[in-house]
């Protein structure tokens, strides 16, 4: 890793808690420089603006998360366990860091404004990876989607849409982890009952 990459990574690591604490709008480059232990001038050498820094942080977080998702889906265990691990990695790295912020909605909005392409590409990749895992399980007769009248891609899209809905429900006091686990139990039950001909 180049020294400049290491420095940029350290800045992005330091910036995340600042954005969580103050929200996007109220966070200043001075706040981030202070958290990173560097001067504002040094910060501007790495990132020309707060928007550029936030976008770089989103890109870095999405890339890291998708590596974790791929590893989870390529691991051992049944398809449900691997999907659960993949969804947990996605939520842990991309949702949980912001979910506890009083400015969570603003931060998610800022992400869609500044890094929509990155976010949508990661979502599409997540759907594709889940669809492949489901198709592989279907090919091995571990599950069947016949009773659902759905393709692996259809079901993968529904899984991701459900995760997005569960994320949004947190604003109403719902619990991300508990609701996700409930949804995944429903998924397991539906596909397992189908595979047993129920």
């Amino acid at each position: 890793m180049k020294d400049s990459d290491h420095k940029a990574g350290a800045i992005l690591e330091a910036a995340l808690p600042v954005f969580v604490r103050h929200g996007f709008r109220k966070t200043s480059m001075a706040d981030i420089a202070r958290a990173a232990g560097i001067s504002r001038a040094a910060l501007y050498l790495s990132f020309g603006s707060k928007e550029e820094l936030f976008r770089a942080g989103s890109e870095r977080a999405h890339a890291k998360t998708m590596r974790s998702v791929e590893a989870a889906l390529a691991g051992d265990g049944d398809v449900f366990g691997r999907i659960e691990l993949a969804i947990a990695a996605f939520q842990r790295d991309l949702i949980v860091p912001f979910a506890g912020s009083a400015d969570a909605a603003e931060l998610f909005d800022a992400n869609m404004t500044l890094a929509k392409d990155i976010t949508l590409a990661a979502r599409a990749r997540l759907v594709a990876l889940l669809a492949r895992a489901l198709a592989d399980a279907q090919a091995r007769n571990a599950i069947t989607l016949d009773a659902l009248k759905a393709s692996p891609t259809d079901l993968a899209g529904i899984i991701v849409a459900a995760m997005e809905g569960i994320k949004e429900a947190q604003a109403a006091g719902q619990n991300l982890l508990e609701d996700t686990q409930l949804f995944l139990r429903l998924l397991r039950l539906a596909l397992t009952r189908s595979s047993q001909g129920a």
Side-chain angles (χ1 to χ4, degrees), residues 1-12 60:
M1 180 184 282
K2 293 186 296 189
D3 188 51
S4 60
D5 291 342
H6 180 73
K7 180 180 173 187
I11 291 169
L12 295 173
R60 181 173 182 257

Side-chain angles (χ1 to χ4, degrees), residues 182-198:
L182 173 58
F183 175 76
L184 292 172
R185 287 195 304 273
L186 287 169
L187 180 68
R188 181 185 290 265
L189 183 61
L191 297 181
T192 300
R193 290 177 111 185
S194 295
S195 69
Q196 293 171 349

Side-chain angles (χ1 to χ4, degrees), residues 144-150 190 194 198:
T144 180
L145 304 179
D146 295 344
L148 297 178
K149 296 183 174 64
S194 295

Side-chain angles (χ1 to χ4, degrees), residues 76-88:
D76 296 327
D78 69 14
V79 69
F80 304 108
R82 289 183 286 120
I83 288 174
E84 187 170 354
L85 289 173
I87 294 297

Side-chain angles (χ1 to χ4, degrees), residues 10-26:
I11 291 169
L12 295 173
E13 287 288 332
L16 177 62
V18 180
F19 282 123
V20 169
R21 188 165 48 252
H22 301 298
F24 178 77
R25 201 170 31 81
K26 292 180 185 171

Side-chain angles (χ1 to χ4, degrees), residues 10-194:
I11 291 169
L12 295 173
E13 287 288 332
L16 177 62
V18 180
F19 282 123
V20 169
R21 188 165 48 252
H22 301 298
F24 178 77
R25 201 170 31 81
K26 292 180 185 171
T27 294
S28 69
M29 290 292 269
D31 295 330
I32 295 167
R34 194 167 28 258
I38 59 175
S39 68
R40 271 194 337 163
L43 176 58
Y44 277 106
L45 288 174
S46 294
F47 298 101
S49 67
K50 179 173 68 169
E51 290 76 11
E52 180 187 328
L53 187 151
F54 191 91
R55 179 178 166 83
S58 181
E59 185 171 27
R60 181 173 182 257
H62 279 88
K64 175 182 174 237
T65 299
M66 294 316 296
R67 287 191 298 272
S68 297
V69 166
E70 288 175 15
L73 289 172
D76 296 327
D78 69 14
V79 69
F80 304 108
R82 289 183 286 120
I83 288 174
E84 187 170 354
L85 289 173
I87 294 297
F90 197 84
Q91 291 178 329
R92 178 188 65 236
D93 294 346
L94 294 178
I95 298 170
V96 170
F98 296 113
S101 171
D103 299 295
E106 182 209 14
L107 290 166
F108 289 127
D109 287 347
N111 184 66
M112 287 307 288
T113 299
L114 301 170
K116 184 175 184 175
D117 58 326
I118 294 165
T119 303
L120 294 181
R123 184 193 187 281
R125 179 79 179 131
L126 178 60
V127 169
L129 290 167
L130 291 172
R132 185 185 324 149
L134 290 164
D136 290 347
Q138 186 178 33
R140 292 191 321 274
N141 291 320
I143 63 169
T144 180
L145 304 179
D146 295 344
L148 297 178
K149 296 183 174 64
S151 71
T153 301
D154 294 336
L155 185 54
I158 291 296
I159 292 169
V160 173
M163 296 305 100
E164 290 170 354
I166 290 168
K167 176 189 86 172
E168 295 299 325
Q170 285 186 106
Q174 296 294 108
N175 184 291
L176 179 72
L177 179 61
E178 289 176 7
D179 288 355
T180 300
Q181 289 174 340
L182 173 58
F183 175 76
L184 292 172
R185 287 195 304 273
L186 287 169
L187 180 68
R188 181 185 290 265
L189 183 61
L191 297 181
T192 300
R193 290 177 111 185
S194 295

